[in-house]
Coordinates of all heavy atoms in Angstrom, one line a residue:
V97 N -36.1 -67.5 -42.8 CA -35.1 -66.7 -42.2 C -34.2 -67.6 -41.3 O -33.1 -67.3 -41.1 CB -35.8 -65.6 -41.3 CG1 -34.9 -65.0 -40.4 CG2 -36.4 -64.5 -42.3
N98 N -34.8 -68.7 -40.8 CA -34.1 -69.5 -39.9 C -33.5 -70.8 -40.6 O -33.1 -71.7 -40.0 CB -35.0 -70.0 -38.7 CG -35.2 -68.9 -37.7 OD1 -34.3 -68.7 -36.9 ND2 -36.3 -68.2 -37.8
D99 N -33.4 -70.7 -41.9 CA -32.9 -71.7 -42.8 C -33.5 -73.1 -42.6 O -32.8 -74.1 -42.5 CB -31.4 -71.8 -42.6 CG -30.6 -70.6 -43.1 OD1 -31.0 -70.0 -44.1 OD2 -29.7 -70.2 -42.4
V100 N -34.8 -73.1 -42.4 CA -35.6 -74.4 -42.2 C -36.4 -74.7 -43.4 O -37.2 -73.8 -43.8 CB -36.5 -74.3 -40.9 CG1 -37.3 -75.6 -40.8 CG2 -35.7 -74.0 -39.7
D101 N -36.1 -75.8 -44.1 CA -36.9 -76.2 -45.2 C -38.2 -76.8 -44.8 O -38.2 -77.6 -43.8 CB -36.1 -77.3 -46.1 CG -34.9 -76.7 -46.7 OD1 -34.9 -75.5 -47.1 OD2 -33.9 -77.4 -46.9
A102 N -39.2 -76.4 -45.4 CA -40.6 -76.9 -45.0 C -41.2 -77.5 -46.3 O -41.1 -77.0 -47.4 CB -41.4 -75.8 -44.4
G103 N -42.0 -78.6 -46.0 CA -42.7 -79.2 -47.1 C -44.0 -78.4 -47.4 O -44.2 -77.3 -46.9
P104 N -44.8 -78.9 -48.4 CA -46.0 -78.2 -48.8 C -47.0 -78.2 -47.7 O -47.0 -79.0 -46.8 CB -46.4 -79.0 -50.0 CG -45.9 -80.3 -49.8 CD -44.6 -80.1 -49.1
T105 N -47.9 -77.2 -47.7 CA -49.0 -77.1 -46.8 C -50.1 -78.1 -47.4 O -50.4 -78.0 -48.5 CB -49.6 -75.7 -46.7 OG1 -48.6 -74.8 -46.3 CG2 -50.8 -75.7 -45.8
K106 N -50.5 -79.0 -46.5 CA -51.5 -79.9 -46.9 C -52.6 -80.0 -45.8 O -52.3 -79.7 -44.6 CB -50.9 -81.4 -47.0 CG -50.0 -81.5 -48.2 CD -49.6 -82.9 -48.4 CE -48.6 -83.1 -49.6 NZ -48.2 -84.5 -49.8
K107 N -53.8 -80.3 -46.2 CA -54.9 -80.5 -45.2 C -54.7 -81.9 -44.6 O -54.7 -82.9 -45.3 CB -56.2 -80.4 -45.9 CG -57.4 -80.5 -45.0 CD -58.7 -80.3 -45.8 CE -59.9 -80.0 -45.0 NZ -61.0 -79.8 -45.8
R108 N -54.5 -82.0 -43.3 CA -54.3 -83.2 -42.6 C -55.2 -83.3 -41.4 O -55.6 -82.2 -40.8 CB -52.8 -83.4 -42.1 CG -51.9 -83.5 -43.3 CD -50.4 -83.7 -42.8 NE -49.5 -84.0 -43.8 CZ -48.7 -83.0 -44.4 NH1 -48.8 -81.8 -44.0 NH2 -47.9 -83.3 -45.3
Y109 N -55.6 -84.5 -41.0 CA -56.4 -84.7 -39.9 C -55.6 -84.7 -38.6 O -54.6 -85.4 -38.5 CB -57.2 -86.0 -40.0 CG -58.3 -86.1 -39.0 CD1 -59.6 -85.5 -39.2 CD2 -58.1 -86.8 -37.8 CE1 -60.6 -85.6 -38.3 CE2 -59.1 -86.9 -36.9 CZ -60.4 -86.3 -37.1 OH -61.3 -86.4 -36.2
G110 N -56.1 -84.0 -37.6 CA -55.4 -84.0 -36.3 C -56.4 -84.1 -35.1 O -57.6 -84.4 -35.4
A111 N -55.9 -83.8 -33.9 CA -56.8 -83.9 -32.7 C -58.1 -83.1 -32.8 O -59.1 -83.5 -32.2 CB -56.0 -83.5 -31.5
E112 N -58.1 -82.0 -33.5 CA -59.3 -81.2 -33.6 C -60.0 -81.2 -34.9 O -60.9 -80.4 -35.2 CB -58.8 -79.7 -33.3 CG -58.2 -79.6 -31.9 CD -57.5 -78.2 -31.7 OE1 -57.2 -77.5 -32.7 OE2 -57.3 -77.9 -30.5
G113 N -59.6 -82.2 -35.8 CA -60.2 -82.3 -37.1 C -59.2 -81.9 -38.2 O -58.0 -81.7 -37.9
A114 N -59.6 -81.8 -39.4 CA -58.8 -81.5 -40.6 C -58.5 -80.0 -40.7 O -59.3 -79.2 -40.4 CB -59.4 -82.0 -41.8
G115 N -57.2 -79.7 -41.0 CA -56.8 -78.3 -41.2 C -55.5 -78.3 -41.8 O -54.8 -79.3 -42.1
P116 N -54.9 -77.1 -42.0 CA -53.6 -76.9 -42.7 C -52.5 -77.4 -41.8 O -52.5 -77.3 -40.6 CB -53.5 -75.4 -42.9 CG -54.4 -74.8 -41.8 CD -55.5 -75.8 -41.6
S117 N -51.5 -78.0 -42.5 CA -50.4 -78.6 -41.8 C -49.1 -78.5 -42.7 O -49.2 -78.6 -43.9 CB -50.7 -80.1 -41.5 OG -49.6 -80.8 -41.0
I118 N -48.0 -78.2 -42.0 CA -46.7 -78.2 -42.7 C -45.8 -79.1 -41.9 O -45.7 -79.0 -40.7 CB -46.1 -76.7 -42.7 CG1 -47.1 -75.7 -43.4 CG2 -44.7 -76.7 -43.3 CD1 -46.7 -74.3 -43.2
Y119 N -45.0 -79.9 -42.7 CA -44.0 -80.7 -42.1 C -42.6 -80.1 -42.3 O -42.3 -79.6 -43.4 CB -44.0 -82.1 -42.7 CG -45.1 -83.0 -42.1 CD1 -46.1 -82.6 -41.3 CD2 -45.2 -84.3 -42.5 CE1 -47.1 -83.4 -40.8 CE2 -46.2 -85.2 -42.0 CZ -47.1 -84.7 -41.2 OH -48.1 -85.5 -40.7
L120 N -41.7 -80.3 -41.3 CA -40.3 -79.8 -41.4 C -39.5 -80.8 -40.6 O -40.0 -81.7 -40.0 CB -40.2 -78.4 -41.0 CG -40.9 -78.0 -39.6 CD1 -39.8 -77.9 -38.5 CD2 -41.7 -76.8 -39.8
S121 N -38.2 -80.6 -40.6 CA -37.3 -81.5 -39.9 C -36.5 -80.7 -38.9 O -36.1 -79.5 -39.2 CB -36.3 -82.2 -40.8 OG -37.0 -83.1 -41.6
D122 N -36.3 -81.2 -37.7 CA -35.4 -80.6 -36.7 C -34.0 -81.0 -37.0 O -33.7 -81.7 -37.9 CB -35.9 -80.9 -35.3 CG -35.6 -82.4 -34.8 OD1 -34.8 -83.1 -35.5 OD2 -36.2 -82.8 -33.8
P123 N -33.0 -80.4 -36.2 CA -31.6 -80.7 -36.5 C -31.2 -82.2 -36.5 O -30.2 -82.5 -37.1 CB -30.9 -79.9 -35.4 CG -31.8 -78.8 -35.1 CD -33.2 -79.4 -35.2
D124 N -31.9 -83.0 -35.8 CA -31.6 -84.4 -35.8 C -32.4 -85.2 -36.8 O -32.3 -86.5 -36.9 CB -31.9 -85.1 -34.4 CG -30.8 -84.9 -33.4 OD1 -29.6 -84.7 -33.9 OD2 -31.0 -85.0 -32.2
G125 N -33.1 -84.5 -37.7 CA -33.9 -85.2 -38.7 C -35.2 -85.7 -38.4 O -35.9 -86.4 -39.1
N126 N -35.7 -85.4 -37.1 CA -37.1 -85.8 -36.8 C -38.1 -85.0 -37.5 O -37.9 -83.7 -37.6 CB -37.3 -85.6 -35.2 CG -36.4 -86.4 -34.4 OD1 -36.4 -87.6 -34.5 ND2 -35.5 -85.8 -33.6
A127 N -39.1 -85.6 -38.0 CA -40.2 -84.9 -38.7 C -41.1 -84.2 -37.6 O -41.5 -84.8 -36.6 CB -41.0 -85.8 -39.5
V128 N -41.3 -82.9 -37.8 CA -42.2 -82.1 -36.9 C -43.3 -81.5 -37.8 O -43.1 -80.9 -38.8 CB -41.4 -80.9 -36.3 CG1 -42.2 -80.1 -35.4 CG2 -40.1 -81.5 -35.5
G129 N -44.5 -81.7 -37.3 CA -45.7 -81.1 -38.0 C -46.1 -79.8 -37.3 O -46.1 -79.7 -36.0
L130 N -46.4 -78.8 -38.1 CA -47.1 -77.6 -37.5 C -48.5 -77.6 -38.0 O -48.7 -77.7 -39.2 CB -46.4 -76.3 -38.0 CG -44.9 -76.2 -37.7 CD1 -44.3 -74.9 -38.3 CD2 -44.6 -76.3 -36.2

Side-chain angles (χ1 to χ4, degrees):
V97 165
N98 285 279
D99 295 321
V100 176
D101 292 326
T105 301
K106 293 185 178 181
K107 186 178 193 176
R108 294 183 175 95
Y109 191 83
E112 299 167 343
S117 174
I118 299 171
Y119 282 5
L120 48 107
S121 295
D122 71 15
D124 273 341
N126 297 300
V128 179
L130 301 179

